[in-house]
Amino acid sequence: MTKKGSMKPGKKNRAEEPELEPLCCCEYIDRNGEKNHVAACLCDCQDLDEGCDRWITCKSMQPETYERIMDTISDRLRIPWLRGARKVNISLLPPLFLLPVFLRVASWHFLLGVVVLTSLPVLALWYYYLTHRRKEQTLFFLSLGLFSLGYMYYVFLQEVVPRGRVGPTQLALLTCGLLLILLALCRAKKDPGYLRSPANGDRSLSGSHTEYLNRTGPEKPKGFPGADPAGGLNNRAPKDEPKGCPRTPAGSPATGKEDWCAKCRLVRPARAWHCRICGFCVRRMDHHCVCCVGESNHQAFMLALLIFLLTSVYGITLTLDTICTDRSVFTALFYCPGVYANYSSALCFTCVWYSVIIVGGMAYIFLIQLINISYNMTEREVQQALRQKTGRRLLCGLIVDTGQYNRGFLRNWHQFSTLGTRPFHHPAEDVV
């Protein structure tokens, strides 16, 4: 009797618990934990109303107001999806809308083209400085690069191929080059060589985990206690080390140059650094651009750059041969009379110059990478050597060599070719 009576309250409690109704494709749980609908994106928006009122009355707004407005927009900017509307990263939108508009406006006149093509790199560098200074993760540059590739290919198919001067073989080569860029970029976006945490055992941070962190923002992942995804850069200075956290004992010769990361709470080997954008330590970290480049993906990053440069130069050559048939490629790039008489030719010419600007920037990065690999230096080590004035500078600072890891041209490239395949054993002088 007692047993039966004790079961009834349990059944009653289970019956009284409200069952969570599944979300439809247009519903979502907002940042306040309440159910909302995508159709109500402009309803009950006090932050936006306040911002518009102050803007109309020419009153200044506090930085906190801007942050609340951006948080509201990013939370309500969603697209219908199965089992609930999904949030759209707001940094993906500017390239999708502004790039085609700017390039088409630049095609109206030569002077407009000069103004637009000059302002685009300036705006991109300003945005990079802004996000880099705030240590923010952004998908702006990745979306800009991918959408630039897609839009250039679309213009090539729509405006250049129908003129009949590009054959099927040339189009196939260009398409294969584009696909190879995407494959190499996908490989470069994987794990760059995150250091394993003692709390995580033998598991390392996977690419899917990284994508999850990019979506969830500043949430501390399991297995990385103390990791700060906003990530302050640990410059291996004693001031970054908390009290009571001793450095690695010097008794072990194999870990003579290992040190302690106060952010990730782990011991990192030589040449490993803490990425302040990702918020994790990376083995042989080089730099962070559209992804963190380290020991495991440096080769794929270089391969993506090489294929991009070759494919872009080939596409530029085909386009200039089509719209300026009587001149060489180099001459047509600077002098192509009558190109603005036809809007289709003007658009192709504007896209060519936009591609040239991008190729120039990527070629400079590729050259710096080749020099650093030849001297067995990473970009992070180069910047540190320039700040501390510990490296030997050649060619006005284009080449920086500290001599610490330089083992000769061939051995340096052999070490780079084996990165990520097997543990590299440093010479004795590197660990003493």
Side-chain angles (χ1 to χ4, degrees):
M1 188 72 179
T2 305
K3 184 177 180 181
K4 185 181 295 183
S6 62
M7 292 180 63
K8 288 182 180 179
K11 292 182 178 179
K12 184 177 180 181
N13 291 337
R14 285 196 297 268
E16 289 178 353
E17 289 180 357
E19 296 183 0
L20 295 177
E21 297 181 0
L23 298 174
C24 77
C25 62
C26 298
E27 293 178 330
Y28 63 95
I29 304 300
D30 60 15
R31 56 178 179 166
N32 298 322
E34 300 176 356
K35 183 183 291 187
N36 212 326
H37 198 278
V38 294
C41 59
L42 299 179
C43 300
D44 189 20
C45 197
Q46 297 178 0
D47 297 327
L48 290 178
D49 294 340
E50 179 185 355
C52 291
D53 291 340
R54 298 186 70 88
W55 179 72
I56 293 174
T57 56
C58 299
K59 295 181 180 179
S60 60
M61 287 190 294
Q62 299 296 327
E64 295 80 7
T65 306
Y66 284 111
E67 293 180 1
R68 290 198 304 268
I69 292 175
M70 293 305 299
D71 290 340
T72 302
I73 293 176
S74 61
D75 184 52
R76 298 188 179 186
L77 188 63
R78 297 175 181 262
I79 58 174
W81 203 260
L82 298 176
R83 298 180 181 178
R86 291 195 176 184
K87 186 184 297 185
V88 178
N89 195 315
I90 197 171
S91 62
L92 296 173
L93 300 181
L96 299 180
F97 295 102
L98 296 182
L99 182 63
V101 173
F102 283 167
L103 292 180
R104 290 190 176 274
V105 170
S107 304
W108 292 348
H109 194 271
F110 171 74
L111 295 179
L112 284 175
V114 173
V115 173
V116 170
L117 293 177
T118 303
S119 61
L120 280 178
V122 175
L123 291 175
L125 291 175
W126 171 80
Y127 186 80
Y128 172 78
Y129 170 77
L130 186 65
T131 56
H132 193 72
R133 182 168 58 89
R134 293 182 178 179
K135 306 169 187 177
E136 295 178 352
Q137 288 186 342
T138 176
L139 296 177
F140 174 81
F141 297 100
L142 179 61
S143 62
L144 178 62
L146 294 177
F147 189 68
S148 296
L149 285 174
Y151 189 70
M152 296 302 107
Y153 187 70
Y154 168 78
V155 172
F156 186 83
L157 293 178
Q158 291 292 116
E159 306 294 342
V160 178
V161 174
R163 300 187 181 217
R165 294 184 62 88
V166 177
T169 303
Q170 296 169 320
L171 180 60
L173 287 176
L174 190 66
T175 304
C176 289
L178 182 64
L179 295 177
L180 289 176
I181 293 174
L182 298 178
L183 291 176
L185 189 59
C186 288
R187 175 62 186 87
K189 287 287 291 181
K190 292 184 178 180
D191 184 1
Y194 292 111
L195 285 175
R196 288 189 287 265
S197 172
N200 222 18
D202 293 332
R203 293 179 300 173
S204 62
L205 191 66
S206 63
S208 59
H209 195 178
T210 306
E211 295 176 1
Y212 171 77
L213 292 173
N214 292 337
R215 292 196 300 267
T216 55
E219 201 172 342
K220 290 186 179 181
K222 185 178 180 182
F224 285 83
D228 182 12
L233 180 62
N234 188 337
N235 285 330
R236 303 185 180 214
K239 64 180 181 180
D240 288 338
E241 298 177 5
K243 293 182 179 180
C245 295
R247 299 178 70 86
T248 305
S252 175
T255 59
K257 284 191 177 180
E258 293 179 340
D259 63 351
W260 173 261
C261 177
K263 298 292 182 180
C264 298
R265 301 287 180 178
L266 50 77
V267 176
R268 57 190 180 191
R271 310 191 77 178
W273 294 93
H274 185 88
C275 178
R276 62 179 181 177
I277 305 297
C278 295
F280 299 104
C281 287
V282 180
R283 293 190 301 270
R284 200 181 181 275
M285 177 185 170
D286 190 86
H287 69 285
H288 186 106
C289 53
V290 297
C291 61
C292 198
V293 179
E295 181 181 274
S296 300
N297 66 342
H298 201 170
Q299 297 172 349
F301 176 76
M302 292 295 293
L303 181 62
L305 278 179
L306 177 61
I307 299 175
F308 171 79
L309 292 175
L310 295 177
T311 305
S312 300
V313 171
Y314 186 63
I316 291 171
T317 303
L318 293 178
T319 304
L320 289 178
D321 283 338
T322 302
I323 62 177
C324 296
T325 57
D326 298 333
R327 286 173 172 78
S328 63
V329 174
F330 185 79
T331 304
L333 186 62
F334 295 96
Y335 181 68
C336 186
V339 70
Y340 282 93
N342 185 359
Y343 180 76
S344 175
S345 300
L347 179 61
C348 295
F349 191 72
T350 303
C351 291
V352 162
W353 262 106
Y354 175 76
S355 302
V356 168
I357 294 173
I358 301 298
V359 167
M362 295 298 104
Y364 174 77
I365 296 176
F366 188 70
L367 176 62
I368 294 298
Q369 289 289 310
L370 291 179
I371 294 174
N372 290 344
I373 294 170
S374 300
Y375 284 87
N376 202 356
M377 294 280 293
T378 64
E379 186 62 24
R380 183 65 184 81
E381 294 166 349
V382 168
Q383 297 301 323
Q384 186 190 38
L386 291 177
R387 285 195 300 266
Q388 299 178 357
K389 298 180 180 180
T390 57
R392 184 167 58 98
R393 301 179 61 180
L394 303 173
L395 296 178
C396 300
L398 188 64
I399 301 175
V400 178
D401 180 25
T402 61
Q404 185 177 7
Y405 301 104
N406 190 359
R407 300 293 173 260
F409 181 83
L410 294 179
R411 292 184 64 184
N412 293 339
W413 274 96
H414 174 71
Q415 178 184 345
F416 177 77
S417 65
T418 58
L419 287 180
T421 57
R422 57 180 176 83
F424 180 76
H425 299 286
H426 296 281
E429 58 266 28
D430 284 354
V431 296
V432 174

